[in-house]
Amino acid sequence: MISQLSWKVGGQQGEGVESTDKIFSTALTRLGYYLYGYRHFSSRIKGGHTNNKIRISTKPIRAISDDLDILVAFDQETIDVNAHELRENGVIIADAKVNPVVPEGVKARLFPVPITAIAEELGTSLFKNMAASGASWALLGLPLEVFNKAVEEEFGRKGAAVVEKNIEAVRKAAEFVLELNGGPLPEFQLEPADGRQKLFMIGNDAIGLGAVAAGCRFMPAYPITPASEVMEYLIKTLPKFGGTVIQTEDEIAACTMAIGANYGGVRALTASAGPGLSLMMEAIGLAGMTETPVVIVDTQRGGPSTGLPTKQEQSDVLAMIYGTHGEIPKIVLSPSTIEECFYDTVEAFNLAEIYQVPVILLTDLQLSLGKQTAEPLDFKKVTIERGALQQGELQPNEDNKLFKRYEFTESGVSPRVIPGQKHGLHHVTGVEHDQEGRPSESPENRKKMMDKRMSKLKTVSKKVTDAIKVDAPHENPDLLIIGMGSTGGTIDEARRRLDASGIKSNHITVRLLHPFPAEELAPYLEKAKQVVVVENNATAQLASLIKLNAGYADKLNSMLKYNGNPFLPAEITKYCQELNLVWQR
């Protein structure tokens, strides 16, 4: 028996690939397996090759696999595009309708299954996704009753007849492939899972859930890949808690509406991707100048311009830190797991109100849309901190003066009020202003106000939970590998291989990108012989931040990937082994 296995389904977009993967994954989750998924899809509604890859394991995993055990193909293109990933003696389950052929040089076993024919016998080709899943499930020798339960949960709302026909498609395909092979594949029998309850979700859903838990009750947004699922999740969920979602005319309106809601005392967020964040920059500057808290999610994708809307990249880092004209304090957080997407969203709302600044939650496409197993969330960890928001009755101001909304304080954070509070009247403007909000062009006031706003950032790295996430078992490692976002799990897997080959490595995931936690990172940079910075962009943006804030440029080596695909463990392993050999010479 084996402890892990990789499975992929592919076909034309709109052909049922997503639902095939969904039922298959749901059933595996019910059995207690750990899963990690990757979606390869085109930036169109229908047509174009798409595939979903799932890695199944009895132990926690946070990386896609280097190779492939089973490929389910609805068409020949899927075989041509993906067969090179199959390990020797891997399996292709293909729709017999397309007369599938194994490409030359690929040592795989082909199982032609009448997937479409089975579906059409039951009334419609729509049932072929269940037939494909059923054939896969049967070859793995897993209990069909668990799979059928997942089918019932997915299609129950459509009525008993639909459920029965889907289950029948599963049964017919399972029987066909088992007869064809003479039973399940013994080399693909998975060890029993632990059976423990786990979550299986995408990062965007975790962000949406985190927003609800944080007390967010309003989301204005404009749909964009790969951020739309945050909006879709909250459309269904917020009304249950008295909140609402508004689809705005564009990202500019989305950001300004979120700022307005927060100014009014309602926790609000918006979510977008690089092109949308570009449009929001002036509004983000307004939030900085008016010291209005706001949370903004940037789900990075391939750029620039329209770029690669459905592909992995981490190239918005410097734009999120330096994108606004002028200088404002802001916080940029970068979660690296599903769990962190949830907890960091809660923390983002708290930080935004504590420091009265915009907080950008920076994910990437793989973390946003790649489904993966997560541990059950602990809602007892959720706390609400509203900072210097003045609640209750305010004291009258001296001589009927206005409220000092932008009062100079030692921390840089001024008392904040909600519009309509008695004795809280003040000016709000995007131009430079005095302590009461009145426009002011005084050089002395300008410097004091700038110093006040920027001083807020001094304590952020100490306030944030795990500004850097450290796994450093070695006092003086050969390599320190640094990453951000979804690269963390892939780096960890590569490190296990490096350790097995005699290369001692430590790993740091930078979770607070701005203000940069240089003080926390420096000791680990100092002790490492060499440093490898792994990131999905062409200009080494994270490495640039390290050099700018912490130094050690002579030790830094950048491993960059910007072809739209996430890193594989084998790629990082090979790069680090070659670097170590060069350094030893």
Side-chain angles (χ1 to χ4, degrees):
M1 302 187 86
I2 57 176
S3 61
Q4 62 176 298
L5 177 140
S6 57
W7 176 91
K8 178 184 280 190
V9 58
Q12 293 299 301
Q13 199 146 289
E15 196 176 19
V17 171
E18 185 68 21
S19 56
T20 306
D21 166 82
K22 183 178 181 182
I23 301 294
F24 189 75
S25 302
T26 299
L28 286 164
T29 300
R30 295 287 184 272
L31 288 172
Y33 287 102
Y34 292 90
L35 307 177
Y36 189 91
Y38 172 63
R39 285 181 63 194
H40 174 97
F41 60 111
S42 303
S43 52
R44 61 182 88 171
I45 301 299
K46 193 170 184 179
H49 175 69
T50 182
N51 63 68
N52 285 14
K53 188 174 184 179
I54 292 288
R55 190 176 184 189
I56 310 151
S57 177
T58 57
K59 298 176 182 178
I61 44 171
R62 288 196 299 114
I64 57 174
S65 56
D66 297 311
D67 54 17
L68 183 61
D69 294 302
I70 298 175
L71 174 63
V72 179
F74 286 120
D75 56 18
Q76 182 63 40
E77 183 181 2
T78 294
I79 299 174
D80 295 338
V81 170
N82 300 284
H84 70 279
E85 291 184 34
L86 284 162
R87 66 175 179 83
E88 188 172 342
N89 214 30
V91 166
I92 300 173
I93 300 171
D95 192 345
K97 178 183 178 180
V98 303
N99 298 315
V101 178
V102 179
E104 188 176 346
V106 175
K107 297 179 180 180
R109 291 166 289 172
L110 177 63
F111 290 84
V113 179
I115 293 170
T116 298
I118 289 172
E120 289 177 345
E121 280 179 20
L122 293 167
T124 173
S125 62
L126 293 175
F127 295 128
K128 69 181 185 179
N129 51 8
M130 289 302 96
S133 295
S136 301
W137 194 263
L139 285 179
L140 296 180
L142 295 169
L144 267 180
E145 59 270 20
V146 176
F147 193 91
N148 291 340
K149 182 64 176 176
V151 172
E152 290 175 14
E153 291 176 3
E154 177 66 18
F155 298 109
R157 67 187 184 282
K158 295 184 178 182
V162 173
V163 171
E164 287 173 11
K165 288 202 172 186
N166 276 286
I167 289 176
E168 183 67 5
V170 170
R171 185 188 65 79
K172 284 178 173 288
E175 288 178 353
F176 181 91
V177 78
L178 289 176
E179 184 177 348
L180 185 65
N181 187 59
L185 293 166
E187 67 273 32
F188 286 161
Q189 303 305 292
L190 285 162
E191 295 172 359
D194 60 21
R196 200 163 49 83
Q197 187 67 38
K198 306 174 185 69
L199 300 173
F200 183 57
M201 62 197 306
I202 60 174
N204 282 347
D205 285 349
I207 288 171
L209 180 58
V212 175
C216 172
R217 293 298 178 263
F218 180 53
M219 182 190 189
Y222 187 81
I224 187 172
T225 302
S228 297
E229 286 79 4
V230 179
M231 184 181 184
E232 291 168 7
Y233 178 90
L234 290 175
I235 284 172
K236 298 174 184 175
T237 309
L238 273 186
K240 299 175 183 177
F241 297 88
T244 191
V245 174
I246 292 179
Q247 181 174 323
T248 59
E249 63 269 31
D250 55 34
E251 290 87 350
I252 299 171
C255 193
T256 51
M257 288 178 74
I259 292 169
N262 279 283
Y263 175 72
V266 176
R267 284 191 162 186
L269 92 162
T270 190
S272 189
L277 267 291
S278 297
L279 292 173
M280 293 181 189
M281 282 302 169
E282 183 180 2
I284 293 172
L286 175 67
M289 175 60 94
T290 60
E291 302 184 48
T292 305
V294 65
V295 175
I296 302 163
V297 180
D298 177 15
T299 57
Q300 297 173 93
R301 70 187 208 186
S305 188
T306 305
L308 295 172
T310 61
K311 302 297 184 291
Q312 166 71 3
E313 202 159 281
Q314 298 175 315
S315 54
D316 294 353
V317 176
L318 297 183
M320 294 306 98
I321 296 172
Y322 303 116
T324 52
H325 66 282
E327 299 163 306
I328 62 166
K330 68 174 74 160
I331 297 170
V332 181
L333 293 176
S334 176
S336 64
T337 66
I338 295 293
E339 295 90 341
E340 288 174 12
C341 284
F342 172 79
Y343 295 117
D344 285 3
T345 301
V346 176
E347 186 160 25
F349 277 100
N350 288 340
L351 291 170
E353 292 207 282
I354 290 168
Y355 292 98
Q356 298 175 18
V357 297
V359 177
I360 296 173
L361 198 66
L362 192 65
T363 67
D364 52 49
L365 183 139
Q366 172 57 18
L367 183 56
S368 298
L369 297 184
K371 265 196 169 183
Q372 54 186 286
T373 299
E375 293 298 328
L377 302 171
D378 184 358
F379 290 90
K380 292 179 181 178
K381 291 183 179 180
V382 174
T383 58
I384 306 297
E385 298 182 58
R386 307 215 64 177
L389 179 63
Q390 306 298 294
Q391 302 184 59
E393 188 172 342
L394 301 175
Q395 294 298 315
N397 300 311
E398 295 179 9
D399 302 324
N400 292 320
K401 290 183 178 180
L402 298 182
F403 180 78
K404 289 186 177 180
R405 168 64 185 91
Y406 306 104
E407 183 178 2
F408 296 121
T409 64
E410 186 176 342
S411 66
V413 177
S414 305
R416 173 175 160 240
V417 292
I418 292 174
Q421 281 184 264
K422 190 175 181 180
H423 308 306
L425 185 65
H426 61 279
H427 283 275
V428 182
T429 172
V431 302
E432 191 56 274
H433 45 262
D434 63 15
Q435 295 182 83
E436 296 171 347
R438 293 189 179 92
S440 171
E441 296 185 0
S442 160
E444 293 79 11
N445 178 77
R446 164 66 173 179
K447 184 177 184 308
K448 287 185 71 174
M449 276 295 172
M450 281 293 295
D451 290 344
K452 176 193 112 63
R453 289 191 291 266
M454 301 308 291
S455 69
K456 298 177 184 182
L457 300 182
K458 292 178 180 177
T459 61
V460 171
S461 66
K462 304 298 183 186
K463 180 68 176 175
V464 168
T465 303
D466 297 328
I468 59 173
K469 187 163 64 175
V470 179
D471 182 7
H474 304 292
E475 183 68 22
N476 298 105
D478 300 313
L479 294 176
L480 170 62
I481 308 176
I482 301 176
M484 60 182 169
S486 64
T487 63
T490 312
I491 292 171
D492 281 339
E493 185 155 334
R495 287 179 59 230
R496 288 193 287 271
R497 302 179 191 182
L498 292 172
D499 286 350
S501 68
I503 299 173
K504 296 184 295 183
S505 64
N506 289 345
H507 176 201
I508 288 180
T509 299
V510 180
R511 292 176 18 80
L512 175 63
L513 294 171
H514 186 75
F516 196 80
E519 184 179 338
E520 290 82 354
L521 184 61
Y524 299 99
L525 293 168
E526 173 67 29
K527 292 178 181 178
K529 295 172 184 175
Q530 287 290 298
V531 179
V532 176
V533 185
V534 178
E535 49 188 317
N536 286 117
N537 58 59
T539 54
Q541 296 184 29
L542 177 57
S544 297
L545 288 177
I546 295 171
K547 293 174 187 176
L548 176 65
N549 293 280
Y552 298 96
D554 57 321
K555 290 185 177 183
L556 263 58
N557 304 272
S558 288
M559 183 179 183
L560 308 176
K561 187 174 184 179
Y562 43 92
N563 63 0
N565 292 320
F567 285 99
L568 296 173
E571 293 172 333
I572 297 176
T573 303
K574 181 181 178 183
Y575 179 93
C576 291
Q577 286 174 334
E578 291 176 349
L579 175 66
N580 194 60
L581 284 173
V582 170
W583 181 79
Q584 285 181 338
R585 292 191 192 118

